[in-house]
Amino acid sequence: MGKSDVRVIFFGELPPSTIHGASISNNINLAILRSKYRVTVIEEFADLKYHDSFSISKGLAFFKSFTKYLLRLVPKSHSIYYGVVYLSKAGICKNILLVFFFKLRNPASKIILHFHRSDISSFLASKLNSFLFFFLNRFVSIYIVLAEKQSEQLRRLGIINTRVLFNTIETEYSDEQLLDISSEEKEEITIIYIGNYIRDKGIFDLIRAVKEYNKNNVRQVVLECYGNFSSSTIHDELMLLSKEIPKVKINSQITGEQKYKTIYESDLTALPSYNEGLPLSLLESMSLGTPMIITNVGFIEEALGTDYPYYCFPDNPQSIIEAIKRYEKDPLKSRLEIKKRYQKFSQKNHAEQVLKIFDE
């Protein structure tokens, strides 16, 4: 079957220039959209070192991408604009700029914006943020949201044009591709952290928890961390800690087959983050049957349920220690159960829902 005549234009961050959950989700969704529509992609450059900050270089990078966007927008009409909701003052202004010029060129076309973060309520606590967001809302046809809970949040604000799209992952492994799960107890507990090195991800809380746990328990924890550094300060602090704590290893980014193998062979993964939507690292762990110690923030409970045993609390190393102790009691059963909970996030379900939303 050939592609339809519908043209979609996308503006946003993509790997490999930017590696985080939103960019990976963008990439997955674009691959699905390309199977049916004619897709124009304008990649926005965003360096991790500018995380949650503004700089002249960051602003210039955006306007370089924006100029490219205008040059691609003018010659041909497009039926759909697809992008993300940026939850910052500068970000919302970017959204307004992008959709305004799209509507100027394509007045009868649709705007579809995707939420990748969960903190809309705290963002709208500012009157200026609220004004900017509701001005942007005048242009938007559909919001794609991460979970039912987020859809409910927006409905309470009077926004009803939402569609729930659960995240999915890049690679899925069948049971036949995975080795049999061993019930043998290992000498040490291996915990894996995969994510950018940002304070709000709870990386320092995790390291403090492992240090304290190993002081008081015969069976030791080995913590293997993989990611990109958000600043030279974070790099130096983490490298110093890894020298002080022999069981903590700080590594650079890991991707592809090696990442999945590392997750599968670990006892636990960990993401004690202060703010999340529905992180891909959680879904990757679930798909492989590896339980994760994780904070119950954002919409994580919609993936794991209220009865999940390894929740911890933000900014609370002691709660991470307690989660490790709970894991020690029944690790095999937990591994089998978590894989079952992944099914609703499968690639097949995700692809069907993406096309259903864009076909409306």
Side-chain angles (χ1 to χ4, degrees):
M1 185 177 69
K3 293 185 180 182
S4 75
D5 292 329
V6 173
R7 290 187 179 275
V8 178
I9 189 165
F10 168 84
F11 184 97
E13 300 171 17
L14 294 170
S17 61
T18 306
I19 301 291
H20 52 49
S23 70
I24 293 170
S25 288
N26 290 339
N27 213 33
I28 291 169
N29 294 338
L30 288 173
I32 296 166
L33 293 174
R34 285 190 182 103
S35 70
K36 183 169 184 179
Y37 307 114
R38 302 181 188 279
V39 181
T40 302
V41 174
I42 310 299
E43 182 176 358
E44 179 186 9
F45 170 78
D47 196 314
L48 182 60
K49 68 183 179 182
Y50 300 131
H51 173 75
D52 283 345
S53 65
F54 182 78
S55 72
I56 293 174
S57 297
K58 187 176 180 181
L60 290 174
F62 166 73
F63 278 104
K64 183 178 178 180
S65 301
F66 180 67
T67 301
K68 186 178 178 182
Y69 167 76
L70 292 179
L71 291 174
R72 300 294 294 276
L73 193 62
V74 172
K76 295 179 180 178
S77 62
H78 291 79
S79 304
I80 301 171
Y81 170 87
Y82 175 47
V84 303
V85 179
Y86 300 104
L87 290 182
S88 68
K89 287 181 178 66
I92 287 289
C93 289
K94 287 196 304 186
N95 280 135
I96 291 169
L97 199 60
L98 290 160
V99 303
F100 175 78
F101 278 94
F102 178 82
K103 276 294 190 181
L104 205 60
R105 175 65 178 87
N106 308 276
S109 296
K110 288 195 298 189
I111 306 284
I112 299 179
L113 293 185
H114 199 148
F115 278 95
H116 287 291
R117 290 174 53 168
S118 63
D119 51 344
I120 180 67
S121 297
S122 58
F123 175 73
L124 293 180
S126 159
K127 289 184 179 179
L128 178 56
N129 290 350
S130 184
F131 171 79
L132 291 171
F133 177 76
F134 284 102
F135 181 77
L136 171 67
N137 184 56
R138 296 170 59 184
F139 299 98
V140 180
S141 309
I142 294 173
Y143 290 105
I144 297 176
V145 298
L146 291 167
E148 294 290 350
K149 185 178 176 182
Q150 191 168 41
S151 186
E152 291 169 9
Q153 287 177 350
L154 291 172
R155 277 199 296 271
R156 287 196 292 271
L157 297 170
I159 297 169
I160 60 173
N161 52 332
T162 62
R163 306 292 183 272
V164 176
L165 176 67
F166 293 129
N167 280 338
T168 193
I169 60 176
E170 293 178 287
T171 307
E172 291 179 341
Y173 290 86
S174 66
D175 292 337
E176 292 74 25
Q177 291 173 299
L178 297 172
L179 299 173
D180 291 334
I181 298 171
S182 173
S183 60
E184 293 181 9
E185 186 175 275
K186 300 175 185 177
E187 185 177 339
E188 297 175 316
I189 303 169
T190 304
I191 299 179
I192 303 297
Y193 169 91
I194 296 179
N196 290 325
Y197 294 123
I198 298 169
R199 288 188 192 279
D200 286 355
K201 292 291 183 182
I203 179 63
F204 289 97
D205 301 328
L206 180 59
I207 291 172
R208 285 195 290 271
V210 169
K211 181 181 180 181
E212 191 64 28
Y213 184 90
N214 286 346
K215 279 184 186 176
N216 302 304
N217 291 274
V218 175
R219 191 179 180 203
Q220 298 285 280
V221 167
V222 174
L223 175 62
E224 295 271 1
C225 304
Y226 300 90
N228 291 314
F229 296 94
S230 58
S231 70
S232 58
T233 302
I234 295 285
H235 173 274
D236 294 345
E237 289 183 40
L238 288 174
M239 298 312 292
L240 182 61
L241 280 173
S242 67
K243 289 178 182 178
E244 294 174 354
I245 311 170
K247 299 293 184 180
V248 174
K249 298 176 175 59
I250 304 296
N251 307 291
S252 57
Q253 176 190 326
I254 186 172
T255 59
E257 185 177 341
Q258 188 60 38
K259 175 175 70 171
Y260 286 92
K261 184 175 186 293
T262 300
I263 293 171
Y264 181 73
E265 291 177 347
S266 68
D267 296 299
L268 290 160
T269 56
L271 185 66
S273 183
Y274 299 178
N275 176 59
E276 289 292 335
L278 197 55
L280 294 187
S281 58
L282 169 62
L283 301 186
E284 290 165 347
S285 293
M286 291 174 69
S287 75
L288 297 167
T290 304
M292 175 179 270
I293 294 174
I294 191 166
T295 42
N296 187 4
V297 295
F299 313 115
I300 289 167
E301 194 174 280
E302 287 194 33
L304 294 171
T306 57
D307 60 337
Y308 184 68
Y310 306 134
Y311 286 132
C312 61
F313 299 102
D315 196 17
N316 190 326
Q318 184 58 38
S319 70
I320 299 172
I321 293 171
E322 296 303 319
I324 297 171
K325 290 178 179 178
R326 289 194 294 274
Y327 165 80
E328 277 273 69
K329 292 180 181 178
D330 197 3
L332 183 60
K333 182 180 179 183
S334 300
R335 180 177 276 268
L336 294 172
E337 284 182 351
I338 189 133
K339 197 169 190 302
K340 294 177 183 176
R341 303 189 192 201
Y342 170 74
Q343 297 310 310
K344 68 178 179 180
F345 304 99
S346 70
Q347 291 176 346
K348 181 176 181 293
N349 289 343
H350 183 87
E352 289 174 354
Q353 191 61 24
V354 168
L355 294 178
K356 181 180 178 182
I357 291 168
F358 278 76
D359 280 344
E360 287 186 27

